[in-house]
């Protein structure tokens, strides 16, 4: 029996695979809200039972938070670990959804048929592509495609507080030759393997001036306004060329290898359409960098929120006691997030006047990651993807952060292949999330092809 028999089985049983995905999507496994704790446990149990039905030795493992699902199965060949997450984002604002977010349905759209539900793309639909590929392989060949470990997390959307301790405690059990992660997407319809991920540093700052809100007529001009201080700090973070001015910010940042730059240029990225889709037209980052470099291989500083004073209806002539901002930095290989946090805070402190105080609250710190594509598995997977999609698969970067890839490197000593089938318009984390039926179907077929190539 050949790979073709497995692919035929996938095609024939797609309706059954969709029903299984719908059953998982109906479970509201929102990890960040304690009200859904039992539902997260239910989703973990559902997945563990499904894996046991495929011959995995699988169980939902308890943690201080939500369970981790771990399953082992198959023998021989290269040991592969597959990672996904079964938890989902909250659905608010609910009134913007066209239907119940946990009542999945097929919908016809101008761009094809889609699965509409919370978690359809991020990440239940994606993780089920791998499980369904293993299911079809098992049916055709009577055995799983090599030695597999399945590792499914239930806290990815809420900061993964249990992940590192769990990985450290089960290091020997989870070690494999390479990890496979399905939590990324296609590049403009082209299959892709993500090999570069940016890190993330989050900071919240509060500037306090007077000990209470003041009447701006009585105190304006004489009393320092915290919003004025905060505005000056924020304005200082970039120069006129788009570069970030925090001292030492670019220490360790390396130039992109010419071979990688050439490959990215060959992708013919249409940044005009990319920005035009969100009502913009001019790249706003470093003036001497291409848009793909800005998105994938250059660090950033962004203000994610700013507030203070009166923002309600009407008008109130207040001089506020406090002003606040949330600021995030996307980091690239070579940058130390903890050192940058210190540098940022020192930069802010130098700009706070005598009569004001500053307080900081951290919101996570993770390093960037880069995968070693010299491993022949990468090229084998790239070739397999290209054959399935009829277009060469690309090695790409990712502007976002997927910390698990770095944890696999640091804790388990292995690289990860990040292969996903999501699209930019999947509306993950937003109302009306969807996953294309084509992405689900061809995603299953793609994993079958990759598993055949890696045996």
């Amino acid at each position: 029996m050949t790979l073709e028999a497995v692919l035929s089985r996938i095609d024939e049983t797609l309706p059954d695979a969709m029903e299984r995905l719908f059953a998982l999507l109906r479970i509201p496994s929102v990890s960040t809200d304690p009200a859904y704790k039992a539902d997260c446990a239910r989703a973990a149990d559902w997945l563990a039972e499904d894996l046991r039905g495929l011959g995995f030795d699988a169980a939902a493992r308890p943690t201080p938070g939500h369970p981790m699902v771990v399953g082992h199965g198959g023998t021989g060949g290269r040991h592969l670990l597959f990672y996904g997450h079964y938890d989902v984002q909250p659905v608010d604002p609910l009134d913007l959804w066209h239907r119940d977010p946990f009542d999945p349905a097929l919908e016809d759209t101008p761009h094809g048929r889609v699965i509409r539900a919370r978690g359809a793309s991020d990440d239940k639909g994606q993780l089920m592509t791998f499980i369904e590929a293993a299911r079809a392989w098992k049916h055709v060949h009577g055995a799983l495609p090599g030695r597999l470990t399945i590792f499914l997390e239930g806290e990815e959307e809420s900061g993964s507080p249990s992940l590192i301790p769990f990985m450290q405690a089960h290091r020997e059990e989870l070690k494999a030759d390479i990890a496979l992660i399905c939590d990324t997407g296609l590049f403009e319809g082209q299959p892709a393997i993500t090999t570069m991920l940016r890190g993330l540093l989050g900071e919240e700052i509060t500037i306090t001036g007077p000990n209470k809100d003041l009447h701006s007529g009585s105190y304006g001009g004489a009393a320092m306004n915290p919003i004025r201080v905060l505005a000056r700090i924020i304005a200082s973070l970039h120069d006129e060329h788009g570069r970030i001015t925090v001292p030492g910010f670019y220490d360790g940042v390396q130039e992109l290898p010419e071979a990688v730059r050439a490959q990215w240029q060959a992708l013919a990225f249409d940044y005009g359409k990319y920005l035009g889709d969100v009502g913009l037209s001019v790249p706003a980052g470093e003036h001497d960098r291409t848009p793909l470099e800005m998105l994938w291989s250059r660090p950033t500083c962004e203000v994610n929120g700013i507030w203070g004073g009166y923002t309600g209806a009407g008008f109130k002539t207040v001089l506020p006691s406090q002003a606040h901002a949330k600021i995030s930095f996307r980091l690239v290989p070579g940058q130390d997030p903890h050192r940058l946090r210190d540098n940022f805070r020192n930069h802010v402190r130098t700009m706070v006047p005598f009569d004001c105080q500053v307080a900081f609250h951290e919101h996570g710190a993770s390093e960037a990651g880069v995968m070693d594509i010299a491993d022949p598995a990468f090229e084998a997977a790239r070739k397999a993807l290209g054959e399935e999609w009829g277009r060469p698969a690309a090695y790409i970067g990712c502007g976002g952060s997927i910390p698990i890839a770095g944890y696999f490197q640091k804790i388990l000593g292995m690289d990860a292949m990040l292969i996903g089938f999501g699209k930019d318009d999947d509306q993950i984390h937003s109302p009306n999330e969807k996953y294309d039926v084509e992405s689900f179907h061809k995603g299953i077929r793609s994993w079958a092809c990759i598993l055949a190539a890696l045996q």
Side-chain angles (χ1 to χ4, degrees):
M1 289 181 284
T2 66
L3 173 61
E4 288 304 318
V6 177
L7 298 178
S8 295
R9 174 68 181 178
I10 291 169
D11 296 342
E12 294 163 3
T13 59
L14 181 62
D16 297 330
M18 298 273 283
E19 278 304 311
R20 285 185 287 268
L21 172 58
F22 276 34
L24 181 58
L25 290 171
R26 291 188 186 102
I27 304 174
S29 49
V30 181
S31 62
T32 196
D33 189 339
Y36 295 93
K37 183 176 179 63
D39 294 302
C40 289
R42 187 155 58 97
D45 288 339
W46 187 97
L47 285 161
E49 182 178 357
D50 192 46
L51 290 174
R52 286 193 293 270
L54 295 180
F56 286 90
D57 178 10
R61 308 278 189 88
T63 76
H66 301 301
M68 303 283 181
V69 178
V70 180
H72 304 286
T75 59
R78 192 163 197 182
H79 185 187
L80 307 175
L81 180 146
F82 175 81
Y83 166 89
H85 65 90
Y86 65 81
D87 64 319
V88 300
Q89 280 275 318
V91 298
D92 307 276
L94 187 58
D95 60 344
L96 294 183
W97 285 81
H98 302 325
R99 59 177 299 107
D100 182 341
F102 295 109
D103 180 21
L106 289 174
E107 292 184 9
D108 291 314
T109 75
H111 302 291
R113 209 163 209 210
V114 304
I115 303 161
R116 187 80 67 184
R118 172 58 89 225
S121 178
D122 186 22
D123 183 45
K124 291 178 179 177
Q126 302 252 55
L127 75 84
M128 286 301 290
T129 59
F130 188 89
I131 293 175
E132 293 299 339
R135 190 187 319 275
W137 193 285
K138 176 73 178 291
H139 178 87
V140 171
H141 293 282
L144 292 167
R147 185 182 174 194
L148 301 178
T149 292
I150 306 292
F151 181 32
L152 307 177
E153 183 190 357
E155 298 177 341
E156 196 273 347
E157 301 289 12
S158 53
S160 299
S162 304
L163 182 61
I164 291 177
F166 187 88
M167 291 178 69
Q168 291 172 332
H170 299 85
R171 182 183 285 110
E172 294 306 315
E173 178 188 0
L174 295 173
K175 272 187 178 179
D177 294 314
I178 196 166
L180 307 172
I181 299 174
C182 194
D183 198 11
T184 53
L186 304 169
F187 179 76
E188 298 187 336
Q190 181 176 351
I193 301 176
T194 300
T195 62
M196 298 176 66
L197 295 162
R198 291 196 292 194
L200 181 62
L201 172 65
E203 280 284 88
E204 181 176 333
I205 63 176
T206 297
I207 305 294
T208 302
N211 58 17
K212 58 187 175 184
D213 288 357
L214 303 176
H215 187 292
S216 65
S218 299
Y219 284 91
M224 179 56 72
N225 187 326
I227 294 180
R228 174 180 158 194
V229 176
L230 182 60
R232 180 168 170 261
I233 290 169
I234 290 173
S236 78
L237 295 176
H238 296 83
D239 66 17
E240 65 273 20
H241 303 295
R243 286 178 61 85
I244 296 151
T245 58
V246 174
F249 186 78
Y250 292 97
D251 290 352
V253 175
Q254 299 179 5
E255 287 298 321
L256 192 67
E258 283 302 322
V260 176
R261 180 181 283 107
Q263 187 194 76
W264 289 0
Q265 285 296 97
L267 294 173
F269 175 57
D270 185 352
Y271 75 84
K273 180 181 184 304
Y274 177 78
L275 292 176
D277 287 344
V278 294
L280 300 173
S281 60
V282 181
E286 297 169 278
H287 296 180
D288 59 343
R289 304 290 173 173
T290 68
L292 277 187
E293 283 184 87
M294 294 181 202
L295 291 171
W296 292 347
S297 69
R298 299 298 294 175
T300 68
C301 169
E302 298 294 346
V303 180
N304 305 122
I306 178 171
W307 68 101
Y310 181 72
T311 59
F315 202 85
K316 183 180 181 182
T317 54
V318 64
L319 193 159
S321 171
Q322 292 187 327
H324 314 264
K326 293 180 187 286
I327 298 174
S328 65
F329 299 87
R330 295 287 177 173
L331 310 180
V332 299
Q335 290 183 296
D336 180 344
H338 303 289
R339 181 182 175 191
L340 288 178
R341 171 170 280 140
D342 290 340
N343 290 352
F344 169 73
R345 291 183 176 186
N346 288 336
H347 173 75
V348 170
R349 290 187 184 105
T350 65
M351 302 189 70
V352 177
F354 176 76
D355 260 357
C356 294
Q357 296 82 44
V358 60
F360 299 93
H361 180 71
E362 62 183 64
H363 288 278
S366 61
E367 295 182 6
V370 59
M371 304 300 130
D372 181 10
I373 61 174
D375 184 332
F378 280 83
E379 193 58 30
R382 194 173 80 91
K383 182 179 178 183
L385 279 170
E387 290 173 351
E388 169 57 28
W389 287 81
R391 298 180 62 187
Y395 290 131
I396 66 171
C398 177
S401 304
I402 305 179
I404 183 66
Y407 300 154
F408 283 145
Q409 288 177 316
K410 284 197 163 187
I411 299 173
L412 303 183
M414 61 183 181
D415 277 327
M417 276 195 284
L418 296 105
I419 301 171
F421 312 100
K423 293 186 176 179
D424 290 339
D425 65 353
D426 280 350
Q427 298 176 206
I428 63 173
H429 296 206
S430 298
N432 302 306
E433 180 179 351
K434 62 87 173 170
Y435 195 44
D436 286 18
V437 171
E438 180 191 42
S439 290
F440 184 61
H441 184 194
K442 290 185 74 65
I444 300 170
R445 288 176 57 97
S446 294
W447 282 121
C449 295
I450 291 169
L451 288 167
L454 297 184
Q455 285 195 90

